[in-house]
């Protein structure tokens, strides 16, 4: 059947376009391969004042750079569809433990680098920062979250 052959050819061309060196899919695969992956809990997601990115506060382990155990990361710009989709997903996963993939990205003409979220996978609600009601409602432990975010703010 000629229609079947045409459909297969169109799908093959679509796959070839997706994996071409300059496609968004190839860029994402490359970015993911170069990104650092680790687990964290999403504490806060807000709009970054200086851009259209979402600024995410992640609870991790205390480190030399972040003794509070909270560190920042950004999504891609939310004026592009993938950046907006990831920002929305991060808001939906607030108080969840997640696996994140983060890459360093130059901004301001290369004068500084920021940590940019490339991907996130849900690992479930973090019971250290939130409670789950019988109806499935997630309620943050406000004092715990406020204390973590205050310690992080004091580091800046």
């Amino acid at each position: 059947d000629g229609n079947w052959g045409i459909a297969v050819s169109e799908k093959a061309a679509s796959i070839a376009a997706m994996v071409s060196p300059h496609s968004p899919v190839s860029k994402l695969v490359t970015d993911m391969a170069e990104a650092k992956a680790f687990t964290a809990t999403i504490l806060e997601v807000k709009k970054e004042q200086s851009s259209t990115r979402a600024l995410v506060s992640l609870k991790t382990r205390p480190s030399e750079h972040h003794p509070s155990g909270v560190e920042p990361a950004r999504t891609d710009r939310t004026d592009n569809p993938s950046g907006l989709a990831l920002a929305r997903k991060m808001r939906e996963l607030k108080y969840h433990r997640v696996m994140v993939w983060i890459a360093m990205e130059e901004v301001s003409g290369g004068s500084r680098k920021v940590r940019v979220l490339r991907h996130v996978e849900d690992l479930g609600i973090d019971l250290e920062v939130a409670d789950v009601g019988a109806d499935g409602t997630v309620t943050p432990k406000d004092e715990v979250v406020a204390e973590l975010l205050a310690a992080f703010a004091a580091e800046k």
Side-chain angles (χ1 to χ4, degrees), residues 41-60:
T41 298
I42 301 169
L43 295 178
E44 183 177 57
V45 181
K46 58 185 180 181
K47 185 177 179 183
E48 186 176 41
Q49 296 300 321
S50 61
S51 74
T52 67
R53 298 173 187 257
L55 182 61
V56 182
S57 297
L58 299 168
K59 176 182 159 267
T60 61

Side-chain angles (χ1 to χ4, degrees), residues 124-139:
I125 296 166
D126 184 342
L127 297 177
E128 289 182 20
V129 299
D131 292 315
V132 182
D135 62 353
T137 304
V138 177
T139 308

Side-chain angles (χ1 to χ4, degrees), residues 5 11 19 23 43 56-57 60-61 65-66 88 90 112 118 134 136 139 144 153:
K11 295 296 182 192
V19 297
S23 77
L43 295 178
V56 182
S57 297
T60 61
R61 290 187 228 169
H65 296 292
H66 300 288
R88 287 179 175 158
M90 298 304 282
R112 69 183 186 112
R118 296 295 181 211
T139 308
V144 173

Side-chain angles (χ1 to χ4, degrees), residues 43-44 94-95 129-130 140-150:
L43 295 178
E44 183 177 57
K94 195 171 175 183
Y95 311 122
V129 299
K141 295 179 180 176
D142 291 332
E143 293 167 6
V144 173
V145 173
E147 184 177 306
L148 287 165
L149 292 173

Side-chain angles (χ1 to χ4, degrees), residues 68-89:
S68 67
V70 178
E71 48 189 87
R74 291 154 178 79
T75 64
D76 276 330
R77 294 175 54 93
T78 58
D79 54 3
N80 81 48
S82 61
L84 181 59
L86 186 56
R88 287 179 175 158
K89 187 172 185 179

